[in-house]
Amino acid sequence: QKEVEQNSGPLSVPEGAIASLNCTYSDRVSQSFFWYRQYSGKSPELIMSIYSNGDKEDGRFTAQLNKASQYVSLLIRDSQPSDSATYLCAVKGGRLVDMRFGAGTRLTVKP
Amino acid sequence: GAGVSQSPSNKVTEKGKDVELRCDPISGHTALYWYRQSLGQGLEFLIYFQGNSAPDKSGLPSDRFSAERTGGSVSTLTIQRTQQEDSAVYLCASSLLAGLQSEQFFGPGTRLTVL
């Protein structure tokens, strides 16, 4: 079982819709969770971090964490074509002294 | 410079040669991380430094890989006797601290091609 799992996609949504990206992790004692956006040919860019159960909102982005279910998600409201990228989920804590990444979900927002 | 910088941006080498990749973290960041991303793959953790020390070297793929950090700043990742499977983008990141809630910021990466 991979430490961090994401649906590879591609996930396609129309412009203006809500994009929902999901991530599960295997280490129950993981404590910190991060979402990165990576455009093709570029390096990952931090979007959000979340540490406590519940929702955390930042502009059009909402991160949701459920530690009991070992599940973290990212919602993108009013999706724009510029949101088209690969979204990486990263987990830290517990056994993980470093950050471990999922393989990423490729999102396409169609005009 | 505000961000993490890496050099070279691209490196093409022949199989069996040694290469050295450089990372300059954000000023004041004490923790530095190296990752590798192969084409279409996720990020693979290689090694991290807290100051000049590397507490966890378990991610290094083989003994051909080594890394050092001096002065709590610049780090170099060295790959000896390169193989074609070493071809990848090598990414460096830094964070203010190595704590659980420390956010990592990435450099632009070095694209290594081994012919």
Side-chain angles (χ1 to χ4, degrees):
Chain A
Q1 182 186 10
K2 292 183 180 178
E3 290 171 315
V4 183
E5 296 211 50
Q6 296 180 253
N7 188 328
S8 62
L11 172 66
S12 182
V13 301
E15 183 174 357
I18 296 175
S20 177
L21 304 160
N22 305 315
C23 173
T24 59
Y25 57 95
S26 61
D27 189 344
R28 182 169 292 277
V29 298
S30 297
Q31 297 179 41
S32 303
F33 307 86
F34 306 85
W35 283 100
Y36 284 81
R37 176 175 63 196
Q38 187 173 28
Y39 292 113
S40 181
K42 302 294 185 183
S43 60
E45 171 193 9
L46 180 67
I47 299 177
M48 292 195 67
S49 56
I50 186 167
Y51 313 113
S52 303
N53 279 329
D55 295 0
K56 179 181 178 182
E57 187 175 318
D58 183 0
R60 295 187 297 111
F61 298 97
T62 299
Q64 299 175 317
L65 175 61
N66 184 325
K67 290 185 179 180
S69 299
Q70 295 174 238
Y71 175 92
V72 57
S73 65
L74 180 71
L75 301 178
I76 307 174
R77 290 182 300 282
D78 188 25
S79 296
Q80 301 297 308
S82 58
D83 295 326
S84 297
T86 296
Y87 289 80
L88 303 171
C89 171
V91 175
K92 192 173 184 180
R95 297 181 296 105
L96 306 176
V97 297
D98 53 273
M99 195 155 62
R100 298 300 168 101
F101 286 80
T105 298
R106 188 157 57 92
L107 171 67
T108 300
V109 180
K110 295 187 174 180
Chain B
V4 178
S5 60
Q6 292 185 246
S7 61
S9 55
N10 278 284
K11 177 69 177 180
V12 180
T13 190
E14 294 179 348
K15 178 181 174 182
K17 301 280 190 182
D18 297 352
V19 296
E20 196 171 273
L21 312 179
R22 175 189 168 109
C23 172
D24 207 334
I26 293 172
S27 178
H29 279 198
T30 63
L32 185 148
Y33 310 80
W34 284 99
Y35 296 87
R36 177 169 73 173
Q37 188 172 35
S38 301
L39 187 62
Q41 302 297 311
L43 274 74
E44 175 189 3
F45 167 76
L46 299 178
I47 190 170
Y48 91 99
F49 290 89
Q50 175 58 51
N52 293 332
S53 301
D56 183 5
K57 299 181 180 180
S58 63
L60 294 175
S62 75
D63 59 7
R64 297 185 296 104
F65 287 72
S66 64
E68 66 174 13
R69 189 181 186 196
T70 55
S73 182
V74 173
S75 175
T76 53
L77 177 68
T78 301
I79 309 173
Q80 295 178 310
R81 305 181 303 281
T82 52
Q83 304 294 311
Q84 289 182 332
E85 60 263 29
D86 299 333
S87 296
V89 176
Y90 288 81
L91 290 160
C92 175
S94 71
S95 63
L96 188 59
L97 300 169
L100 286 172
Q101 298 189 359
S102 287
E103 297 172 340
Q104 296 182 20
F105 299 92
F106 283 85
T110 294
R111 182 175 298 277
L112 174 66
T113 304
V114 182
L115 301 176

